[in-house]
Amino acid sequence: MSEIKTGAPLLRVHDIHVYYGAIHAIKGISLEVYENEIVTLIGANGAGKSTTLNTIAGLLRPRQGTVELNGENINGVSASKMVSRGLSLCPEGRRIFQQMTVRENLEMGAYSRPAAEIEGSLEEMFERFPRLKEREKQIGGTLSGGEQQMLAMARALMSRPRLLMLDEPSMGLAPILVEQIFGIISELHASGVTILLVEQNAQMALQVADRAYVMETGVITMQGPAHELLHNDAVQKAYLGS
Amino acid sequence: MVAFLRYLINGISLGSVYAIIALGYSMVYGIAKMLNFAHGDIIMVGAYIVFCVMVYLSMPPFLAVLAAIVVCTLLGIAIERLAYKPLRQSASLAVLITAIGVSYFLQNAAMLIWGSNPKVFSSVFNVGNLRMLNGELVISSEALLTIAANIIIMIGLTQFTSRTKMGKAMRAVSEDKGAAELMGINVNRTISLTFAIGSALAAIAGALLCSTTNPNLVPTTGSMPGIKAFTAAVFGGIGSIPGAFIGGLLLGVIEIMAKAYISTELSDAIVFAVLIIVLLFKPAGLLGKPVREKV
C-alpha cells in the first residue's frame, strides 16, 4: 500500500457544489483517486457521501465544479454513458433486479460490452463468487442480503470498470457478512481494481483503504492515509465510538 | 353442447383481441409506470388506416395491416415523446390526465378526418368458415386468425423479454430505472421502444377487432375495448405478459358466457363484478407479484 502517488489521478473531483432544489447538499468537495488504490469516504448519515458518488456517476449534476475521469471532463455525461467510460457504481441498497435471475443480473452489468466478451466475464465472476454460481438460475429477490450484495458487486464489475464505486456495501448485513464483504473488497484491491468506497462502518473502511476523506454536512473536514485517520483522536471520537 | 362450444370459441376469440390490447397496456405500465388511456384510441387509428388502405388505395389486407402497424408505431412513439416524456418527473396524476387528454385528442382528430358516420369495415381475413361436428359448429376464419395471432404474439413477446438483450433491458428498466441506467441502459430509448411495440400490437388488435366483432368503425371504436383490455390487464396482473394473456382470455369468455346464459344487458356488469371479486382476493391480479422488499 504505497502512499506516494505519482502522475495524474484516475478520478479528480474539483470543488463540486450539488443542490437538491434549494438545499445546498455538497459545498465544494475536492478529492482524487489514483489508479489501484482504495479510497474511502466516511462520515455520518446525511453528510453527503452518497450524493457525492451519485454526482460522480452522473445521476446528479453539480451546479459548480468539475469531475474528471482520466483527465477528461465528465460533467454532464449521462449516467447510462458513464459505464462505457469505465466508471461503475454499485448503489446504496444494492438495487439488484429482484425478478431477474442471478445470471441475467450479471448480463445487465455487462450491457455496454459486446456480447462475445460476456461469457468470459461471467466465468470470472462465478470463480470469484462461487455462491453466485450455485444460484445462477435463481431469481435475485430470493437471495439473502449478503448474497444480494455479492451479486450487486459482481454486477458492477461485469462492465470491467476502471473505477468501481461502492456505496455502503455493508449496510444491513450481519457482522460476519460484513467481514466477508470487506474481505472481497481487499481481494478486488489486490487484483488491481481501483475502488472509491463510501461507508458508515468507518472502522472497517479505514482498515481496507489506502487513503480516506472524512465528510461532514457537505464538506470534507479531514483527509489522509487511512491508517493515520484510524488512529486519529477526532475520528475515533466521532466515528469509531471509542 | 354445440352452442356452448360456439360461445367458448367466440369468447376465446374476443378474449384474444382483449389480450393483444392488454399486452400493450401492461408493457407500457410495466416500463413507464403509467396507464396509457390513449391506448384504446390507437386501436381505432389502426383500424381506420386498415380501412383507408383497403378501400381507398385498393391494396390487399396484408399490406393494409402492415401500413397500420407502421403508422401506429410512429404515432405511439410520437405521443410518448410529445405528451408523456415532458412529464416523466411529474406526479402520476398529471400523466394520467394527459393520457385522457391524448385519448380525446385522437378521437376528435379521427372525427375531423373521417367524420362520425360509421365506416363499414370489411374483414382482413375471410377465407370462409371451418365447419365441425357435421356442420353444426361453425368457426369463422377470423376467429381462428385472432386466436392464432394472440398465441404467436404472446410467445414472441415472452421470448423477446426473456432471451434478447433489449428485452432483458426492458425488464430491468421496469424494475428499477435508476439501477438500469447505472448498467448503461438508455432508459428513454427503452421506454420509446415499449410504446412502439404496444402501439404496433394495438394496430393488429384494431384490424382483428373490426374484422370480428365490431364491423362499424367510428372514432370511439377503441374506447370500450380499451377499457375492457385495461381491466383484463389488471385482472391478470398488470405488468405481466402471461397475466395479460390469461386476463384477456378469461374476460372474453366471461363476457360471452354472461351474454349467452345470463343477460346481454348485464354482461359488462358481470365482467366487472368478477374483476372486483378477483382483486379482493388477489390485489395484484391473478399472476401479479405482490411487491415485497428484502433488506
Side-chain angles (χ1 to χ4, degrees):
Chain A
M1 296 190 189
S2 64
E3 268 137 42
I4 304 137
K5 297 294 168 187
T6 50
L10 177 60
L11 176 79
R12 182 167 171 271
V13 174
H14 182 69
D15 192 30
I16 54 165
H17 291 257
V18 184
Y19 291 77
Y20 287 112
I23 298 162
H24 196 174
I26 302 289
K27 304 163 186 160
I29 278 191
S30 299
L31 58 84
E32 282 99 41
V33 180
Y34 291 85
E35 204 103 35
N36 301 328
E37 44 168 22
I38 301 190
V39 173
T40 182
L41 199 54
I42 57 173
N45 228 342
K49 305 180 305 277
S50 293
T51 305
T52 306
L53 281 199
N54 289 341
T55 307
I56 298 169
L59 289 169
L60 295 168
R61 295 270 155 89
R63 198 177 285 183
Q64 236 186 80
T66 53
V67 181
E68 283 170 20
L69 187 68
N70 216 22
E72 231 180 300
N73 190 337
I74 53 169
N75 275 16
V77 172
S78 69
S80 64
K81 297 218 171 79
M82 265 331 165
V83 194
S84 41
R85 300 268 187 135
L87 215 145
S88 188
L89 169 63
C90 178
E92 188 177 351
R94 313 189 256 279
R95 307 267 293 268
I96 62 156
F97 301 114
Q98 306 261 337
Q99 302 190 19
M100 299 175 85
T101 64
V102 167
R103 189 189 178 88
E104 285 172 337
N105 264 282
L106 294 174
E107 286 171 2
M108 288 297 106
Y111 186 81
S112 57
R113 295 175 55 203
E117 294 175 19
I118 294 179
E119 205 54 41
S121 291
L122 270 173
E123 287 312 311
E124 223 174 276
M125 288 309 140
F126 286 147
E127 211 166 290
R128 198 188 287 277
F129 303 95
R131 208 49 183 279
L132 296 181
K133 173 81 186 161
E134 289 166 33
R135 305 257 188 273
E136 187 182 343
K137 299 217 159 59
Q138 233 170 287
I139 300 292
T142 62
L143 301 185
S144 72
E147 289 166 345
Q148 289 197 12
Q149 183 58 49
M150 286 180 203
L151 177 57
M153 286 165 68
R155 186 181 67 173
L157 286 168
M158 282 296 286
S159 67
R160 284 183 180 268
R162 302 195 53 184
L163 173 65
L164 174 68
M165 301 195 289
L166 299 170
D167 196 350
E168 304 273 7
S170 77
M171 193 171 68
L173 296 182
I176 180 136
L177 289 170
V178 174
E179 295 261 353
Q180 206 179 339
I181 293 295
F182 276 97
I184 293 167
I185 294 173
S186 299
E187 277 171 34
L188 289 175
H189 181 219
S191 64
V193 182
T194 309
I195 297 173
L196 176 56
L197 168 69
V198 156
E199 258 297 338
Q200 279 198 55
N201 189 334
Q203 176 88 45
M204 292 297 271
L206 290 173
Q207 277 171 16
V208 295
D210 299 315
R211 288 187 307 116
Y213 293 87
V214 180
M215 260 186 101
E216 233 168 272
T217 56
V219 290
I220 285 171
T221 51
M222 266 183 275
Q223 55 181 294
H227 61 92
E228 275 176 27
L229 287 177
L230 190 59
H231 300 107
N232 178 297
D233 283 345
V235 172
Q236 291 228 328
K237 266 210 187 80
Y239 305 106
L240 303 175
S242 54
Chain B
M1 185 59 201
V2 173
F4 176 80
L5 276 179
R6 192 170 67 234
Y7 296 140
L8 185 65
I9 289 164
N10 283 345
I12 292 174
S13 163
L14 178 65
S16 294
V17 176
Y18 290 157
I20 296 171
I21 308 170
L23 278 172
Y25 259 115
S26 217
M27 286 180 74
V28 165
Y29 178 81
I31 306 257
K33 297 286 177 275
M34 66 160 290
L35 295 171
N36 179 18
F37 275 118
H39 192 62
D41 302 291
I42 296 177
I43 301 167
M44 173 272 296
V45 173
Y48 270 110
I49 300 294
V50 172
F51 175 85
C52 288
V53 174
M54 274 169 73
V55 175
Y56 300 140
L57 304 177
S58 314
M59 302 261 246
F62 164 72
L63 284 177
V65 174
L66 205 65
I69 290 175
V70 172
V71 170
C72 287
T73 303
L74 296 176
L75 182 66
I77 294 172
I79 289 172
E80 196 275 325
R81 181 76 38 93
L82 298 173
Y84 304 145
K85 195 179 167 195
L87 298 174
R88 197 70 52 77
Q89 309 302 329
S90 313
S92 57
L93 209 50
V95 186
L96 188 71
I97 293 167
T98 306
I100 295 172
V102 171
S103 163
Y104 280 114
F105 174 82
L106 291 177
Q107 287 180 19
N108 285 294
M111 207 173 295
L112 263 178
I113 300 170
W114 292 293
S116 52
N117 286 336
K119 306 273 186 221
V120 180
F121 198 93
S122 55
S123 171
V124 293
F125 188 76
N126 191 349
V127 293
N129 299 326
L130 182 68
R131 284 165 203 284
M132 289 184 351
L133 304 175
N134 302 325
E136 280 186 67
L137 179 64
V138 181
I139 307 168
S140 72
S141 50
E142 289 92 342
L144 290 175
L145 174 73
T146 306
I147 296 167
N150 180 29
I151 292 170
I152 292 168
I153 288 169
M154 157 80 188
I155 292 172
L157 275 184
T158 316
Q159 294 298 312
F160 173 71
T161 52
S162 64
R163 290 189 195 273
T164 67
K165 186 175 171 185
M166 201 62 229
K168 287 178 194 171
M170 254 183 189
R171 283 161 56 211
V173 171
S174 90
E175 257 198 67
D176 188 336
K177 286 193 187 59
E181 206 166 353
L182 289 176
M183 305 295 110
I185 298 168
N186 186 329
V187 171
N188 280 330
R189 200 186 302 152
T190 310
I191 292 177
S192 225
L193 177 73
T194 312
F195 270 84
I197 294 176
S199 305
L201 294 182
I204 296 171
L208 293 171
L209 180 75
C210 290
S211 298
T212 50
T213 54
N214 196 340
N216 290 327
L217 178 57
V218 290
T220 52
T221 283
S223 314
M224 202 56 196
I227 290 185
K228 292 230 184 95
F230 167 60
T231 310
V234 175
F235 191 40
I238 196 153
S240 147
I241 291 175
F245 180 77
I246 289 172
L249 287 186
L250 281 178
L251 204 76
V253 171
I254 293 169
E255 184 181 331
I256 297 285
M257 292 298 173
K259 264 189 186 135
Y261 293 109
I262 306 174
S263 150
T264 312
E265 287 78 19
L266 283 181
S267 68
D268 285 348
I270 292 166
V271 164
F272 285 94
V274 172
L275 170 78
I276 291 168
I277 293 166
V278 167
L279 291 186
L280 279 176
F281 292 101
K282 295 209 67 157
L286 290 174
L287 300 186
K289 290 195 183 74
V291 182
R292 79 201 141 135
E293 299 257 316
K294 194 158 191 171
V295 235

